[in-house]
Amino acid sequence: MTEPKTHTVDVPGATLHYDVREGEAGPILLLIGSPMDATGFTTLAGHFADRTVVTYDPRGIGRSERTDGAAESTPDLHADDLHRLIAALGGGPVDIFASSGGAVNGLALVARHPEQVRTLVAHEPPAAQVLPDREQALAAIADIRGTYERDGFGAAMAKFIAITSLRGEIPADFADMPMPNPADFGMPTEDDGSRDDSLFAQNLISCTHHEHDFAALRAASTRVVVGVGAESAGEMAHRGGQAVAERLGVEPVTFPSDHGGFLGGEFGMKGDPDAFAVTLRQVLAS
């Protein structure tokens, strides 16, 4: 695998930056996250030195600056960006590993452009709309967004960590529960006044509230694999993956570690990237 070379592609309302690591075997492997940028896949990309691996920064994140002035990015908008990115790469079909919000965006892409994707591995999509406790989950997420608008990043992130690490159904009184101090997570306790965070301002509501087109996904030519973490059972994103798999009529594949199992120290978090890559390679080859 060569060193990554950075390219850009203009899409309506943004300029996307993407990195290409040239390899030899198989179709392009596209690694996507949201609101994570390309740097989060540095370790995982290194485990696929035999393949051409592409990573990118979604619009409004990292190097991919928005030019439309819009406040939110929807999964359908991200899907259109991915459609145009794959076209710039030669049109596909590509293999995709998609994590978290990226999995939501990957599913939206396949629903609209299945011809561009051979296999989609959607790892722990936070698909709150299909959870058994849908109403509580959506209300809790809306409360996090309200906290961000009112109190800023640190307070919202403390609630976000609380809900994403909670195991089991979301309580109806989540908004009234005592929350941890942001300082306990190394987060700021003071509000700096900014309201343009890529998670809370741009993607939180549109991602988790997205209604997937399961009829289109079931009819797609793309092979869709849903992944869940071995150590994240009961957490919202894990349960979202299970619910999506059930709606698609497939069994989810268990990947090593947790929601960030592919991370090798990026953002100060480490999963089990070696074992994770082995499982991903087996899934893509099967």
Side-chain angles (χ1 to χ4, degrees):
M1 178 182 284
T2 63
E3 289 297 311
K5 293 183 179 179
T6 300
H7 307 265
T8 62
V9 57
D10 290 327
V11 299
T15 298
L16 304 180
H17 285 67
Y18 64 98
D19 306 307
V20 179
R21 296 166 171 84
E22 293 285 352
E24 296 180 358
I28 288 171
L29 174 59
L30 175 59
L31 307 177
I32 63 176
S34 181
M36 188 180 76
D37 65 16
T39 60
F41 289 115
T42 302
T43 299
L44 185 61
H47 284 277
F48 290 87
D50 56 318
R51 299 185 60 164
T52 294
V53 177
V54 175
T55 56
Y56 93 117
D57 293 353
R59 68 167 55 215
I61 299 169
R63 302 161 295 174
S64 294
E65 296 184 357
R66 301 190 69 143
T67 57
D68 58 3
E72 285 194 318
S73 301
T74 67
D76 286 336
L77 187 56
H78 285 303
D80 187 67
D81 289 348
L82 289 164
H83 164 63
R84 295 170 188 271
L85 172 59
I86 294 170
L89 295 170
V94 301
D95 285 341
I96 295 178
F97 170 76
S99 168
S100 194
V104 172
N105 300 339
L107 290 164
L109 169 68
V110 168
R112 299 171 66 176
H113 299 286
E115 74 285 352
Q116 289 189 309
V117 186
R118 187 184 75 155
T119 298
L120 167 67
V121 181
H123 183 252
E124 296 209 340
Q129 287 280 14
V130 291
L131 292 175
D133 50 330
R134 170 183 178 276
E135 296 300 330
Q136 301 100 290
L138 294 177
I141 294 164
D143 175 68
I144 293 173
R145 173 62 178 268
T147 299
Y148 176 68
E149 294 293 347
R150 184 180 64 251
D151 300 324
F153 177 83
M157 182 56 76
K159 282 192 172 182
F160 179 79
I161 293 172
I163 197 172
T164 54
S165 60
L166 187 150
R167 296 181 186 267
E169 291 195 355
I170 309 299
D173 61 346
F174 175 83
D176 300 321
M177 295 173 63
M179 288 294 123
N181 189 323
D184 294 341
F185 303 113
M187 301 296 169
T189 57
E190 298 295 324
D191 181 5
D192 66 3
S194 65
R195 294 297 185 269
D196 58 356
D197 182 71
S198 59
L199 169 60
F200 297 120
Q202 292 187 47
N203 293 287
L204 178 68
I205 297 296
S206 60
C207 172
T208 56
H209 287 51
H210 181 69
E211 299 213 21
H212 293 279
D213 188 343
F214 289 106
L217 289 167
R218 288 190 294 266
S221 56
T222 303
R223 173 175 171 248
V224 178
V225 178
V226 180
V228 294
E231 298 174 12
S232 57
E235 295 176 1
M236 189 178 75
H238 183 113
R239 295 193 300 121
Q242 289 178 314
V244 167
E246 183 178 357
R247 293 290 293 272
L248 294 177
V250 299
E251 286 294 322
V253 174
T254 300
F255 279 75
S257 192
D258 53 20
H259 189 64
F262 57 89
L263 293 169
E266 296 89 347
F267 317 119
M269 295 179 283
K270 194 172 192 309
D272 189 355
D274 295 347
F276 196 100
V278 169
T279 300
L280 178 57
R281 187 177 288 275
Q282 290 170 344
V283 168
L284 293 173
S286 61

